[in-house]
Amino acid sequence: MQNPQFPVEVLIVDDGEIPETLLTDFEIILSNPNFELHYYKKQIPGLIHSRVETIRLAKHEVILFLDDDVELASGYLDRLMDLYNRYPDAAGVGGRDVLLGTSFIWRMFCKVFLYGSNKPGKLSLSGYGGSMTLWCLMKEPFQTEYLVGCNMSFRRGALLDLQPVPWLIGYSVGEDLYLTQVARCYGQVWLDPDLKVIHHQSSQSRDKVKQVAYSDIVNHYYLLRENGSAFWRYICLLWTSIGLLIRSMLRKAHRPKRSGYWSGLKFVITRYRGRFTHETVVNHGKEQTYR
C-alpha cells in the first residue's frame, strides 16, 4: 500500500533462516523502483543487536523500525517523511497501533499503580509507557518521551552512540524506551496519532512468559538507572511491580506471569537495599554477573 516518491531501503535483519524462495517473493512484491531490498543475517541474537546492526548497515538518514507482524496504513511512508520535513530538528517520530484498546478497569490500574501518566507523551513515575492508550484520543502530533518498538523511527545520527547493554537480552523488554532515551539527547521525539499501523501481535512472545514478566520489571529498573533517576522513582517502580503481581494473580490469562513478576519484585527490593556490589541478570535460568 506504499507508493513513495523517494528511495526506500527495506532491510531485513534476521536471527533465523529465511528461504531464498521467500526472499525472491519479497523482491517481486517490492516491484516499485524506489524500493531496494537487502537481507542481513546477524551472528549475535537479541533485539538490541538487531537495532545496532541496522544503524550500522542502513543507507539512509531516517530509519523506521518495524516488527515483522506490522501492517502499515496506506500512505504511511509519505506521511512519515512529511513529518520529518515539518520538524527538521526531530530526532525521532513514531505512530500508534490502531488495535491498541483500553478500558475503564485498565485506566484505573494505570492510575492507581503508576503504570501510566495522565499525559500521553509522558512516562509514568515508575518509567512505564501505559499512557499510550491515550494516543487514540489525540488529534495532532505531540512531543513524547517514548515510542513503541513495533512502529518507531529515528534519524540515524541520533542513534550513532547506541550500544548493546547487558540487561537487554532476548526479547529485550523496554529496548524501545532505551532507544528513545538515547535519541532524545539529540532532539525532540514526536508521536503522530495519524501515523497508523495494524499490529497483528501474537498472544505469545518468542521468549518464555516467566522470563518476559521478569524482564518487564527488571529492565525498567535499569532504565531508571540509565536515566539517573531519583531514589523515589524506585519506590514507584516497587509499587507498579506489586500491581503487576496482583493483576497476574487475579486474571487467569496472566497467571503464568506470577513467578516472573515475583522474581522481578524481589530483584528491585534487593537492589534498592544495596546489598550487593554486583548485579545479576537472569536469562532462562542462566545468570550473567557484571559490575
Side-chain angles (χ1 to χ4, degrees), residues 11-222:
L11 177 61
I12 300 175
V13 180
D14 188 24
D15 278 349
E17 298 284 349
I18 294 183
E20 288 290 337
T21 53
L22 186 55
L23 288 174
T24 301
D25 290 341
F26 289 164
E27 290 176 345
I28 295 172
I29 292 171
L30 296 172
S31 57
N32 188 311
N34 286 323
F35 282 119
E36 181 180 2
L37 176 65
H38 289 144
Y39 174 80
Y40 178 77
K41 178 173 169 50
K42 71 181 195 294
Q43 301 301 313
I44 304 176
L47 184 55
I48 186 63
H49 293 284
S50 295
R51 308 302 198 199
V52 172
E53 289 293 334
T54 297
I55 296 161
R56 181 179 67 86
L57 296 166
K59 292 178 59 176
H60 302 297
E61 174 60 16
V62 173
I63 301 176
L64 170 63
F65 291 107
L66 298 170
D67 284 1
D68 56 11
D69 52 3
V70 162
E71 178 183 345
L72 300 180
S74 179
Y76 181 104
L77 295 179
D78 288 324
R79 183 170 182 85
L80 178 66
M81 295 312 298
D82 286 343
L83 287 164
Y84 274 103
N85 291 330
R86 188 190 309 180
Y87 306 111
D89 296 328
V93 175
R96 69 179 181 92
D97 173 17
V98 298
L99 297 182
L100 181 64
T102 185
S103 67
F104 175 78
I105 294 176
W106 176 244
R107 291 194 297 272
M108 288 300 100
F109 174 88
C110 290
K111 183 175 182 179
V112 171
F113 288 103
L114 306 180
Y115 191 82
S117 69
N118 291 325
K119 296 181 179 180
K122 294 282 290 183
L123 291 168
S124 74
L125 295 178
S126 56
Y128 284 81
S131 56
M132 73 177 68
T133 56
L134 301 175
W135 291 355
C136 63
L137 304 177
M138 306 301 291
K139 304 299 182 183
E140 297 291 335
F142 57 91
Q143 292 185 41
T144 180
E145 295 179 343
Y146 63 102
L147 298 176
V148 179
C150 73
N151 169 33
M152 61 181 183
S153 73
F154 300 98
R155 293 192 189 275
R156 184 171 180 270
L159 293 181
L160 290 177
D161 294 336
L162 183 70
Q163 296 293 329
V165 287
W167 49 273
L168 280 176
I169 51 180
Y171 193 64
S172 299
V173 177
E175 57 79 32
D176 45 4
L177 305 185
Y178 177 60
L179 263 67
T180 310
Q181 188 170 295
V182 172
R184 289 180 69 228
C185 296
Y186 292 89
Q188 299 169 344
V189 176
W190 292 80
L191 192 291
D192 181 12
D194 284 330
L195 202 59
K196 300 174 183 178
V197 303
I198 300 174
H199 192 188
H200 303 280
Q201 192 169 5
S202 170
S203 59
Q204 297 293 324
S205 72
R206 293 180 176 90
D207 281 2
K208 295 179 180 178
V209 173
K210 177 181 176 181
Q211 177 64 35
V212 173
Y214 173 81
S215 299
D216 194 15
I217 293 176
V218 171
N219 287 8
H220 279 85
Y221 165 86
Y222 285 114

